[in-house]
């Protein structure tokens, strides 16, 4: 028995609607490709840390916060020097873009022309970073990027208080860094990176043992270069 025209039209319309819904549900090729290579990562790195000193050209800072005599004195800023740093962190990658959070630590012995001896310093840096990899998906990929960081430096014996006692000090601040380099990718799961990083940090606070501290009246701006080797493992 032939189907009524109205019933046949309804069935054809339903079939077309089903086909359109199925096509609409499929992701666009670019979107599908982007999420195909989304991966989390862990990484470690080592770097040289070449500090070129303070941009304001001053080697000392007089600390005199009014009537708080326990923290009156002279703070000695370290002269230019070099150190080695290590670090690591967590990251994520989507195609040619990478985001990461890293922690770095370095220790060094530094000097000052006005001090008879040297003093030790420990530098901690916590940063958020972005990288873009060019020539994706080739094995060798140039990269550029940058990020922002918070850092603090513990300096043993860098503060000479009003009573003539050498005390430790902690210099803290925030900054930015710019990076460039090249990476060798193996099977999209492992990458070895060689980078050169320029770092600019503006310090505003000095803390002293016993809970004392002062806010610096002007920023102490430091800059440094960091040649770095990093190893990423993605999963």
């Amino acid at each position: 028995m032939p189907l009524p025209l109205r019933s046949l039209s309804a069935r054809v319309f339903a079939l077309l609607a089903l086909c359109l819904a199925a096509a609409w549900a499929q992701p666009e090729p670019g979107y599908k490709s982007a999420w195909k290579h989304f991966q989390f990562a862990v990484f470690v790195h080592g770097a040289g840390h070449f500090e070129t000193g303070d941009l304001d050209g001053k080697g000392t800072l007089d600390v005199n916060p009014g009537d708080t005599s326990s923290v009156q004195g002279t703070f000695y800023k370290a002269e230019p020097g070099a150190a080695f740093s290590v670090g690591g962190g967590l990251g994520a990658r989507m195609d040619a873009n990478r985001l990461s959070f890293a922690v770095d630590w370095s220790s060094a012995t530094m000097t000052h022309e006005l001090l008879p001896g040297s003093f030790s310093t420990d530098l901690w840096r916590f940063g958020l970073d972005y990288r873009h990899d060019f020539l994706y998906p080739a094995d060798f990929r140039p990269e550029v990027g940058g990020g922002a960081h918070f850092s603090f430096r513990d300096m043993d014996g860098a503060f000479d208080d009003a009573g003539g006692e050498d005390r430790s000090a902690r210099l803290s601040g925030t900054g930015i860094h710019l990076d460039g380099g090249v990476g060798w990718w193996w099977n999209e799961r492992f990458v070895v990176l060689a980078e050169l990083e320029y770092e600019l940090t503006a310090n505003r606070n000095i803390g002293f043992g016993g809970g004392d501290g002062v806010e610096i009246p002007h920023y102490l701006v430091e800059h440094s270069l960091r040649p770095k080797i990093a190893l990423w493992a993605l999963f």
Side-chain angles (χ1 to χ4, degrees):
M1 178 179 178
L3 292 173
L5 182 59
R6 180 178 299 176
S7 177
L8 181 61
S9 299
R11 295 191 181 191
V12 171
F13 178 79
L15 181 61
L16 290 174
L18 183 62
C19 292
L20 289 174
W24 185 267
Q26 294 295 321
E28 296 180 3
Y31 177 85
K32 184 177 180 180
S33 174
W35 282 98
K36 180 180 179 180
H37 294 293
F38 180 83
Q39 297 168 290
F40 291 103
V42 294
F43 58 89
V44 293
H45 55 245
H49 198 171
F50 301 99
E51 300 197 20
T52 53
D54 181 57
L55 289 178
D56 66 8
K58 299 177 182 178
T60 62
L61 177 68
D62 292 328
V63 178
N64 184 13
D67 58 355
T68 310
S69 59
S70 61
V71 291
Q72 290 179 345
T74 303
F75 172 69
Y76 295 90
K77 295 175 288 184
E79 293 181 339
F84 182 77
S85 65
V86 295
L90 301 174
R93 172 206 172 207
M94 189 174 74
D95 282 352
N97 302 290
R98 287 179 286 125
L99 293 173
S100 61
F101 170 76
V103 179
D104 295 83
W105 169 79
S106 66
S107 180
T109 299
M110 295 188 169
T111 60
H112 194 283
E113 62 180 1
L114 299 179
L115 294 177
S118 59
F119 55 92
S120 61
T121 68
D122 288 281
L123 175 65
W124 289 89
R125 192 186 81 163
F126 306 85
L128 291 173
D129 295 89
Y130 167 78
R131 299 287 189 275
H132 179 77
D133 299 305
F134 296 96
L135 304 182
Y136 170 84
D139 292 339
F140 288 92
R141 305 173 196 172
E143 58 155 33
V144 296
H149 62 266
F150 165 78
S151 67
F152 62 85
R153 184 196 307 271
D154 289 325
M155 309 172 72
D156 185 18
F159 179 67
D160 185 9
D161 69 12
E165 180 184 356
D166 293 335
R167 297 174 57 183
S168 297
R170 169 174 288 185
L171 190 65
S172 61
T174 57
I176 60 172
H177 47 275
L178 304 174
D179 302 80
V182 63
W184 176 65
W185 291 76
W186 178 58
N187 199 28
E188 298 296 331
R189 297 290 302 276
F190 300 97
V191 58
V192 178
L193 299 164
E195 297 182 336
L196 180 63
E197 181 173 87
Y198 168 74
E199 177 183 307
L200 180 70
T201 303
N203 298 291
R204 190 62 189 270
N205 297 285
I206 303 178
F208 307 98
D212 297 320
V214 296
E215 183 176 290
I216 305 171
H218 63 281
Y219 286 100
L220 299 180
V221 181
E222 298 176 318
H223 59 136
S224 63
L225 292 176
R226 293 160 50 95
K228 181 191 303 183
I229 297 294
L231 174 63
W232 282 51
L234 300 105
F235 55 92

